[in-house]
Amino acid sequence: MPTAGDIAQSTVPPYADESTPLARAAEQLLMARQGARNRPPLPRPESTRILVVANQKGGVGKTTSTVNVAAALAQFGQRVLVIDLDPQGNASTALSVDHHQGTPSSYDLLVEGSPLADVVTTCPDIDGLFVVPATIDLAGAEIELVSVVAREQRLHKALRADGRVGTDATAGEDRFDYVFIDCPPSLGLLTINALVAGEEMMIPIQAEYYALEGLGQLLNTVDMVRAHLNPALAISTILITMYDARTRLASGVAEEVRGHFGDQVLATNIPRSVRVSEAPSYGQTVMTYDPTSPGALSYLEAAREIGTKGVSAR
């Protein structure tokens, strides 16, 4: 019978049959601790990729996809920053980062003009994952920014002013490889700031009947931002979430989305999963909460696709 020390030092899960709850828990803990050591690292992008995760329709897995894709990329050896722009702070909760009122946050970044370095903290569970948390103060940011000159450019300027955003030549080895900006479920000034700051968009779409409802409004907003504020913005990634392979409805929605967006849609669908939904209540992503679950493995594959694919469409 292996000891606890043997389990901690092993590189192969000793209980492959998952025959008991204890064996299952031991394997999960082992896999979570090993993280990137179990996986060959992805090549780093030539420069920092800034992805805006947005969809004004709520409940599509936007924040869930943000934190899990970011965590998966970090486990693949990337340096990843998550900026939480949602006043609810759900991304901050899932990444186990303090976000009570008064904590240095994205509010300070946008409204107070604080440098990025002053509001960034580390995710305690995953090496290479950094977070700018959101506090409830952010709820009033749109009103406070109304009278500010170039209010749509605040996040863009904050990111470009940081020495860790750029290429190897300009930012060095400590640069962020990916920046994910988690937007609120609306098309207000916070989301506009994200769209102006970003170079790519990742749009999660739920595999259900109303999946495409309201998407036209988002795409119109993207076109407006391209025309007037950020011509470089590209919709590079569409991620189908909450996919139930047992239903014709899910496959029909996925087929319709792929027919409309083509190669922008990832080949990986994220399944509907209780483990993915449970993880935030424990202050974790599913990547550490249950790294062997179908949801975690799907997010790993989605992250691999994003890391190897790059920008595909404008």
Side-chain angles (χ1 to χ4, degrees):
M1 176 69 68
T3 66
D6 295 332
I7 294 174
Q9 295 177 12
S10 174
T11 58
V12 178
Y15 302 104
D17 63 349
E18 302 174 6
S19 56
T20 68
L22 178 60
R24 172 70 171 170
E27 182 181 11
Q28 289 174 2
L29 178 61
L30 176 62
M31 292 290 287
R33 285 181 174 175
Q34 286 176 336
R37 289 183 298 168
N38 272 356
R39 306 179 183 96
L42 289 171
R44 300 181 72 180
E46 294 180 358
S47 61
T48 304
R49 292 177 61 183
I50 303 175
L51 292 94
V52 180
V53 187
N55 191 331
Q56 81 274 20
K57 186 178 185 301
V60 299
K62 177 181 57 61
T63 296
T64 299
S65 296
T66 299
V67 298
N68 284 300
V69 169
L73 283 168
Q75 289 187 341
F76 277 124
Q78 308 296 294
R79 290 173 59 83
V80 185
L81 171 65
V82 173
I83 299 177
D84 191 352
L85 278 192
D86 190 339
Q88 297 177 87
N90 291 334
S92 306
T93 298
L95 296 173
S96 196
V97 169
D98 188 15
H99 59 103
H100 67 268
Q101 192 169 16
T103 301
S105 68
S106 52
Y107 172 85
D108 301 282
L109 195 68
L110 290 176
V111 178
E112 303 295 339
S114 298
L116 182 63
D118 290 353
V119 298
V120 170
T121 187
T122 57
C123 174
D125 297 326
I126 300 176
D127 292 338
L129 185 55
F130 303 84
V131 188
V132 176
T135 64
I136 193 62
D137 297 323
L138 199 59
E142 295 196 357
I143 296 174
E144 295 182 62
L145 287 172
V146 166
S147 60
V148 175
V149 176
R151 56 186 178 270
E152 302 92 350
Q153 304 279 347
R154 303 284 286 185
L155 184 56
H156 177 274
K157 291 179 179 179
L159 285 175
R160 268 57 180 193
D162 190 84
R164 291 165 294 179
V165 176
T167 64
D168 273 338
T170 60
E173 284 297 310
D174 289 337
R175 69 177 167 90
F176 295 123
D177 297 305
Y178 293 86
V179 176
F180 286 88
I181 307 173
D182 184 41
C183 298
S186 67
L187 296 178
L189 194 51
L190 294 176
T191 300
I192 297 298
N193 256 273
L195 294 175
V196 173
E199 298 167 347
E200 306 177 45
M201 281 192 71
M202 182 173 83
I203 305 176
I205 296 180
Q206 187 178 5
E208 293 191 358
Y209 181 72
Y210 293 114
L212 302 178
E213 185 179 90
L215 189 59
Q217 185 181 357
L218 175 60
L219 298 180
N220 288 338
T221 301
V222 172
D223 288 339
M224 179 195 71
V225 170
R226 281 178 183 157
H228 300 287
L229 297 166
N230 184 8
L233 183 63
I235 299 175
S236 65
T237 305
I238 307 291
L239 179 62
I240 297 175
T241 63
M242 304 181 190
Y243 184 82
D244 188 343
R246 300 170 299 178
T247 67
R248 292 182 180 179
L249 175 61
S251 60
V253 169
E255 184 177 346
E256 183 178 355
V257 171
R258 289 194 168 90
H260 189 273
F261 290 101
D263 291 342
Q264 294 159 277
V265 185
L266 296 184
T268 304
N269 299 324
I270 306 301
R272 186 177 291 278
S273 168
V274 173
R275 307 299 278 177
V276 170
S277 302
E278 284 177 348
S281 64
Y282 292 89
Q284 297 183 59
T285 67
V286 75
M287 310 310 301
T288 56
Y289 178 65
D290 190 352
T292 61
S293 66
L297 297 176
S298 295
Y299 273 118
L300 273 174
E301 191 55 37
R304 190 196 304 274
E305 282 192 67
I306 292 171
T308 56
K309 186 167 125 175
V311 181
S312 62
R314 292 285 176 183

